[in-house]
Amino acid sequence: MIRVEKSREYIFKDLLNRAMNYGLGVECVHIDSHLKPCLSYKRKLIILNMNYHNQRLVIFQLAHEIGHFLNGDSFGNEIFFSPAMNGFEGRANKTAVKLLLPYYLNDLPERYASTADFMNYFSIPLSVEKVVTEQIQDFYKSSETQI
């Protein structure tokens, strides 16, 4: 089972603070439970649905939308969350995984790192599994070079 030092609430608040540090606003709304979050790059605003039917996915969705902003994905219109692995959606997923991994991997010996546990904790879609596995490996490679 995953050993996460910080609670989901802490991680969510920390990501909100990071978004603000990047110059992004985050509006938390309570709307239809199947409406996905979105990013307005032009307005520098993430709209999160706090009523989303899978509450455990909201943290990943927030990291994903921050990922769009960090990646410079500006298309003039709003960008809605998608677990797709191609193009800008795939890049946003990769950035989201990079943002979330330290909450799981910091001080965790590599032999205990589990793609499945990480994905389960954040309710990350199965389509992102390969990226998670690669990013876990990259995390430990970059940690080794810092020693």
Side-chain angles (χ1 to χ4, degrees):
M1 191 61 175
I2 192 168
R3 178 199 61 74
V4 176
E5 302 255 333
K6 308 293 183 187
S7 70
R8 281 186 180 85
E9 181 180 354
Y10 172 88
I11 295 167
F12 181 73
K13 287 179 180 177
D14 195 53
L15 284 174
L16 288 174
N17 286 327
R18 290 174 79 174
M20 288 187 283
N21 288 339
Y22 297 133
L24 283 167
V26 179
E27 186 174 337
C28 297
V29 298
H30 295 272
I31 52 179
D32 182 277
S33 65
H34 286 80
L35 291 176
K36 298 177 180 181
C38 70
L39 165 70
S40 172
Y41 191 88
K42 185 172 23 175
R43 293 176 51 205
K44 294 186 178 180
L45 178 67
I46 294 171
I47 300 174
L48 272 183
N49 183 1
M50 301 309 293
N51 220 25
Y52 197 69
H53 66 94
N54 181 351
Q55 284 292 298
R56 291 178 55 215
L57 185 58
V58 172
I59 292 173
F60 181 71
Q61 290 174 332
L62 174 58
H64 174 96
E65 298 305 328
I66 292 170
H68 276 303
F69 181 78
L70 294 176
N71 295 341
D73 296 335
S74 61
F75 295 96
N77 296 320
E78 284 70 27
I79 302 171
F80 290 88
F81 173 81
S82 169
M85 287 313 305
N86 300 320
F88 67 90
E89 289 299 334
R91 289 189 302 275
N93 286 333
K94 183 176 180 178
T95 302
V97 169
K98 285 181 176 181
L99 288 169
L100 295 175
L101 275 177
Y103 297 108
Y104 170 54
L105 294 178
N106 278 346
D107 302 321
L108 181 68
E110 186 173 4
R111 68 181 176 273
Y112 296 118
S114 165
T115 296
D117 284 348
F118 176 78
M119 292 180 66
N120 183 54
Y121 187 78
F122 293 108
S123 201
I124 296 173
L126 197 54
S127 61
V128 185
E129 182 177 25
K130 182 179 177 189
V131 169
V132 171
T133 300
E134 291 169 353
Q135 291 307 305
I136 288 173
Q137 292 168 352
D138 288 351
F139 181 90
Y140 285 108
K141 284 179 190 171
S142 66
S143 295
E144 289 172 7
T145 59
Q146 294 176 6
I147 295 175

